[in-house]
Amino acid sequence: MLQKLGFWAVVAFLVAYIGVLSGAMFYFQFGLGEFPCPLCITQRMGMMLSSLGAVYILVQALRGSLDSAKFMTGLGFAVLGALIGASMSIRQILLHIMPGDPGYGGAVLGLHLYSWALVSFVVVLVFVGLLLMFAKEFMPVAPVAKWARTLTWVIIWVFVFTVAANMVVVFAEEGFNWYLPDNPTSYQLFG
């Protein structure tokens, strides 16, 4: 029972980051016209790296080849991505910590996206810590039901699409330049 819960917990982790990445790109970037700065993009990369750990675990579980070493490898990816992303979030928070600084971009429930990103990275670190503490009990076992396996593969492919879309958007924003401006205001590829 706990192993099935472990599987669906990793699926929920992946779905959560798909939602965060899609919301940042489709709602804030395209809907509100807020261009991500270089630090925002590196935070997205941290989220993607963390999520790759979840994808690795899910794929191995679906193939029936997940063992403790592969489980720990996937969790290691998640920790590494969370640490990289958290350091970028902290850097951006420190850039805007002075009183009167409006911050970069819009706010959600009073916090800017980079602050929420730090919260998400801390949640990932706690989640992975709990999975490591109880690795034997929560070692993911893929469901047998065809609908559940299909749903998991669909979620994995939605993640792949989300990563690809983010890559295209970053390329459009940066163009053929060596670096991205600190406060981008347009897509460099088209301007």
Side-chain angles (χ1 to χ4, degrees):
M1 180 67 173
L2 289 178
Q3 291 177 327
K4 289 179 183 177
L5 180 62
F7 181 86
W8 290 111
V10 175
V11 170
F13 164 49
L14 183 59
V15 168
Y17 262 152
I18 289 171
V20 169
L21 290 167
S22 297
M25 182 175 52
F26 294 116
Y27 180 72
F28 284 94
Q29 188 169 349
F30 295 145
L32 300 179
E34 294 183 9
F35 294 94
C37 68
L39 286 172
C40 299
I41 291 170
T42 58
Q43 291 164 49
R44 288 183 189 182
M45 290 176 181
M47 292 176 188
M48 290 177 209
L49 182 59
S50 277
S51 299
L52 278 177
V55 168
Y56 180 77
I57 291 169
L58 293 174
V59 168
Q60 295 301 323
L62 288 168
R63 291 182 177 164
S65 62
L66 184 67
D67 57 15
S68 59
K70 291 177 181 174
F71 186 44
M72 300 308 159
T73 300
L75 294 177
F77 271 109
V79 167
L80 184 61
L83 289 174
I84 291 169
S87 65
M88 295 299 111
S89 296
I90 290 169
R91 169 76 172 122
Q92 192 162 9
I93 289 168
L94 291 175
L95 285 174
H96 301 290
I97 203 167
M98 295 296 293
D101 187 314
Y104 184 80
V108 176
L109 300 175
L111 293 177
H112 290 278
L113 293 182
Y114 46 85
S115 300
W116 282 113
L118 179 60
V119 170
S120 80
F121 293 127
V122 170
V123 168
V124 167
L125 291 171
V126 170
F127 173 72
V128 170
L130 289 171
L131 284 181
L132 287 171
M133 284 173 47
F134 302 103
K136 185 177 179 183
E137 292 83 1
F138 286 104
M139 172 84 73
V141 172
V144 178
K146 185 168 177 62
W147 70 267
R149 297 176 73 82
T150 303
L151 175 65
T152 305
W153 280 112
V154 167
I155 291 169
I156 290 169
W157 282 107
V158 168
F159 171 73
V160 170
F161 168 77
T162 304
V163 170
N166 270 279
M167 290 172 57
V168 169
V169 166
V170 168
F171 178 68
E173 188 175 355
E174 188 171 347
F176 292 101
N177 299 309
W178 284 101
Y179 64 93
L180 188 63
D182 290 338
N183 295 312
T185 57
S186 65
Y187 292 101
Q188 301 291 321
L189 185 64
F190 308 119

